[in-house]
Amino acid sequence: VCGIIGYIGSRPAASVLIEGLRQLEYRGYDSFGIAVNGQKIGLLKRNGRIPEDFPEINSFLGTAGIGHTRWATHGIPSDRNAHPHLDCSGRIAVVHNGIIENYLSLKKELEQGGHCFQSETDSEVIPHLIEEYSGKGLLEAVRRATGRLTGSYAFLVIEEGGRGRIIAAKKSSPLVIGCGDGEMLAASDATPILDYTERVIYLEDDDIASISPDGVEVFQNGCRVERPASLIEWSREDVKRGGFPHFMEKEIFEQPEVLANSVRVLTELPDILEGVKGLTLVACGSSFHAGLIFKYLLERVAGIPVRCELASEFKYHPSPARDPVIAVTQSGETADTNSALQVARSYNCPTIAITNVLGSSVTRIADMVIFLKAGPEISVAATKSFIAQCGVLARLADLLSGGKYRTTLLKANVAISDVLRAEFEDAVDLCSGARSLFYIGRGAFYPVALEGALKMKEISYIHAEGFAAGEIKHGPFALLSEDTPVIAVCPPGETYEVMNSNIKEIKARGTPVIVLGRRSDREISRISDLFIPMPEGDIITDIMASTVILQLLAYRTAVRLGREIDRPKNLAKCVTVE
Ligand code: AGP
């Protein structure tokens, strides 16, 4: 996953590109670079993050350029492997997001033809291929080059002395064009475009666009095509931190509103799901956990079986029944999820995508799209998008069960507002000194435990695992000690009694237990070492409240340990490689 940006207009391109890249860093941030079209192509590539203060860019003259922020796949993070990459003459510069699957054979062929490569990346074949075909002009050269590429790409090209334009090409990786007044942008998403214009064009796969300051021409197979512009729904304020120290905290605090909106997204049961006998969900990471919560919620009230599959494993299973397949993906760009949905299509299953990003790749694959409307999520850790997924999926369970969750869904946001004020510094103390953390829950609170552990390991770098509470005695018990606290999610309900016994068994091994339980529950508070109260409610409010407490526990622990909150090491916001 990488972020790309291009600018052409009347402003100094270098500063537009660097500011844009800062907003795209959530996509990858191990190195960055820009190329600006002045008298010659001016190139700057650097390993590491973009410095706060960066006076060097003032020496880059030119009002057109391209930039890149990288999440390494082929070749280590280094100056050499950073984009933009150049052709042999140094006159053509390219930034690329995606994977060129046939790069090894292309590289061999190009090297035999005399091309010299400077990096270990797959992307560098693109400028050399364009150079190879450059006799008939840049646009035609890009068209011919794309014909040779297999894999996924969104790339931008500038040519020294070129006719004042940027050429863009897209296949299976996102690319948005921003249409300003006398200036145009192209970027991996709309976030960096918002500072200049709200009018955007979402390119389709196999589009090639020629972008000048005055507009854009889009081509498919060499023929001109129309791509209508639309208005971005997110505001500039939505993508700024709004006074919070980190995007993650801001996004956690937005959740009451996000949940209230998400449960209203579906006004009726989608036609595709009318009379369904079974459902399959495919997703990764947090989105998979939201899918598991849905499975528990739906199966307990509607008797409709739900298969919830890790998207990366879906293709290894035998072909499913013709049940509808729902892909759950915040970004809409997760390669495993999107290819699982393609597999489902090949089985002729009706497909639905639940996503937060309009115009993302998954929206082009699915028969039907449900938009989460959580607003842009910048922090790598999914928080408000997870709550929005839970809200939309719980509403779906409600519609499929003839209204079993209706009343509770409409007030679940109040439970989140309640726990946002919770103080639990003693639990943060315990977690930040821990060697490992184990999260346990049963029923719908098992995926809540999985999600809590994922959040903790992702941003605090403390080893954390979630378990179905019943499983912990089947092996993980051997790891329990004083410095491996257990976090138990234990609201009242069918799982309460047995969770109560599990907690006592863990405590009997000298392991401290932090329990999330209802505020009025004296018994559970008495047996826990540390107790974090949740408001009174029901299964829906307990799911939402416990999820948010575990997000806050991870966030506060990571802050205590001085971690990089919004951009954890080695991770990226969307994972566009399988
Ligand atoms: C969650 O905090 C993670 N960043 C990650 O697990 C994420 O949920 C996963 O990569 C799936 O992303 P998606 O929802 O965009 O498909």
Side-chain angles (χ1 to χ4, degrees):
V1 199
C2 302
I4 63 173
I5 183 166
Y7 174 82
I8 187 160
S10 53
R11 304 174 202 247
S15 54
V16 176
L17 297 173
I18 289 293
E19 285 318 308
L21 290 178
R22 288 189 207 283
Q23 298 180 58
L24 290 171
E25 270 193 324
Y26 74 91
R27 300 177 65 85
Y29 35 84
D30 54 44
S31 56
F32 69 95
I34 58 171
V36 174
N37 206 351
Q39 296 283 7
K40 284 177 159 282
I41 298 268
L43 188 69
L44 180 149
K45 311 196 317 171
R46 193 146 321 153
N47 196 21
R49 299 273 301 274
I50 303 169
E52 284 300 321
D53 197 20
F54 202 18
E56 286 107 304
I57 59 167
N58 298 328
S59 61
F60 281 79
L61 302 177
T63 57
I66 55 178
H68 187 273
T69 181
R70 180 168 186 248
W71 187 77
T73 55
H74 296 64
I76 57 163
S78 66
D79 289 357
R80 239 159 34 97
N81 289 332
H83 298 219
H85 293 293
L86 301 179
D87 69 330
C88 295
S89 70
R91 300 185 68 245
I92 294 168
V94 171
V95 289
H96 165 232
N97 170 34
I99 301 269
I100 305 302
E101 286 164 5
N102 59 339
Y103 84 102
L104 280 175
S105 60
L106 288 173
K107 187 170 178 176
K108 196 166 160 205
E109 174 192 319
L110 288 159
E111 279 175 335
Q112 281 166 355
H115 289 262
C116 289
F117 282 72
Q118 308 295 329
S119 78
E120 303 150 89
T121 65
D122 55 332
S123 310
E124 200 186 346
V125 297
I126 303 174
H128 291 282
L129 267 179
I130 295 172
E131 179 180 29
E132 192 65 24
Y133 297 125
S134 61
K136 295 208 164 144
L138 188 59
L139 185 65
E140 177 59 15
V142 170
R143 193 180 74 78
R144 290 193 181 194
T146 53
R148 301 291 314 281
L149 303 175
T150 56
S152 60
Y153 54 78
F155 68 80
L156 302 173
V157 191
I158 53 170
E159 183 183 32
E160 185 181 303
R163 290 175 25 233
R165 58 187 181 158
I166 297 171
I167 305 294
K170 171 193 155 40
K171 182 174 197 167
S172 304
S173 293
L175 194 55
V176 186
I177 310 281
C179 311
D181 193 8
E183 58 186 352
M184 299 284 288
L185 296 102
S188 298
D189 76 27
T191 320
I193 292 177
L194 263 171
D195 285 329
Y196 305 92
T197 177
E198 291 176 348
R199 290 183 63 236
V200 289
I201 293 171
Y202 295 99
L203 290 186
E204 303 272 334
D205 278 352
D206 299 314
D207 279 355
I208 295 178
S210 174
I211 307 166
S212 70
D214 302 318
V216 57
E217 292 177 314
V218 184
F219 302 87
Q220 276 249 341
N221 303 319
C223 302
R224 182 86 198 270
V225 287
E226 288 304 316
R227 296 278 178 255
S230 51
L231 288 181
I232 306 174
E233 290 200 353
W234 298 341
S235 74
R236 229 163 275 164
E237 278 318 298
D238 285 339
V239 294
K240 304 252 149 76
R241 278 207 308 265
F244 285 90
H246 304 104
F247 279 108
M248 182 175 178
E249 191 181 21
K250 172 182 179 252
E251 287 158 8
I252 289 174
F253 274 75
E254 285 170 355
Q255 291 180 117
E257 189 185 345
V258 166
L259 180 63
N261 292 338
S262 68
V263 300
R264 291 178 172 83
V265 164
L266 287 174
T267 50
E268 56 188 15
L269 189 63
D271 289 346
I272 292 184
L273 299 180
E274 215 49 79
V276 281
K277 300 277 177 289
L279 276 171
T280 300
L281 272 74
V282 289
C284 301
S286 293
S287 300
F288 174 69
H289 300 153
L292 279 177
I293 289 173
F294 171 71
K295 173 182 168 69
Y296 281 100
L297 285 181
L298 184 65
E299 287 182 345
R300 71 196 282 275
V301 293
I304 298 173
V306 178
R307 263 177 91 195
C308 186
E309 299 285 337
L310 287 168
S312 53
E313 292 293 312
F314 183 69
K315 58 176 172 267
Y316 308 119
H317 289 282
S319 114
R322 299 287 174 265
D323 294 333
V325 175
I326 304 177
V328 187
T329 167
Q330 186 283 133
S331 62
E333 300 295 344
T334 302
D336 283 316
T337 307
N338 291 358
S339 54
L341 208 61
Q342 300 274 23
V343 170
R345 283 185 71 89
S346 72
Y347 295 149
N348 295 321
C349 301
T351 53
I352 298 178
I354 299 182
T355 186
N356 196 32
V357 182
L358 265 182
S360 58
S361 301
V362 79
T363 63
R364 294 168 216 287
I365 302 170
D367 299 319
M368 182 200 165
V369 178
I370 299 174
F371 186 38
L372 290 170
K373 298 191 178 163
E377 187 175 71
I378 308 297
S379 184
V380 166
T383 52
K384 65 174 178 172
S385 66
F386 177 79
I387 283 292
Q389 288 166 348
C390 292
V392 165
L393 287 166
R395 171 66 173 143
L396 198 54
D398 177 58
L399 288 164
L400 285 163
S401 64
K404 289 282 184 345
Y405 295 113
R406 192 145 306 155
T407 45
T408 177
L409 272 179
L410 295 172
K411 55 181 199 299
N413 59 321
V414 179
I416 297 185
S417 305
D418 180 298
V419 297
L420 285 177
R421 294 191 296 270
E423 299 278 342
F424 38 78
E425 282 309 289
D426 40 5
V428 175
D429 289 343
L430 190 60
C431 291
S432 47
R435 184 160 55 89
S436 281
L437 292 164
F438 299 117
Y439 289 65
I440 58 169
R442 284 174 180 261
F445 301 96
Y446 161 48
V448 168
L450 292 175
E451 175 60 9
L454 176 63
K455 257 351 40 125
M456 181 61 87
K457 75 180 102 174
E458 185 176 22
I459 59 165
S460 75
Y461 314 154
I462 298 172
H463 171 242
E465 294 301 329
F467 293 103
E471 278 298 296
I472 195 162
K473 287 198 286 286
H474 300 287
F477 243 52
L479 296 172
L480 293 184
S481 68
E482 278 175 6
D483 57 358
T484 61
V486 170
I487 295 141
V489 187
C490 187
E494 59 193 349
T495 65
Y496 181 80
E497 294 300 335
V498 66
M499 278 296 293
N500 194 309
S501 308
N502 295 151
I503 291 166
K504 288 177 184 151
E505 290 153 9
I506 293 164
K507 280 176 59 76
R509 269 83 191 162
T511 301
V513 184
I514 301 170
V515 180
L516 278 61
R518 288 267 184 85
R519 192 166 281 140
S520 59
D521 189 344
R522 295 261 156 76
E523 163 64 9
I524 206 80
S525 141
R526 192 181 56 75
I527 65 164
S528 55
D529 292 283
L530 295 172
F531 179 66
I532 305 181
M534 302 193 291
E536 302 310 311
D538 52 37
I539 186 166
I540 296 283
T541 56
D542 288 334
I543 289 169
M544 304 300 174
S546 55
T547 296
V548 174
I549 289 170
L550 296 182
Q551 291 169 350
L552 287 168
L553 183 62
Y555 173 74
R556 292 173 188 171
T557 302
V559 170
R560 173 77 60 83
L561 295 171
R563 303 298 192 226
E564 183 82 32
I565 303 290
D566 290 326
R567 298 181 188 104
K569 65 181 179 192
N570 301 335
L571 298 179
K573 184 74 183 158
C574 23
V575 183
T576 54
V577 288
E578 289 192 13

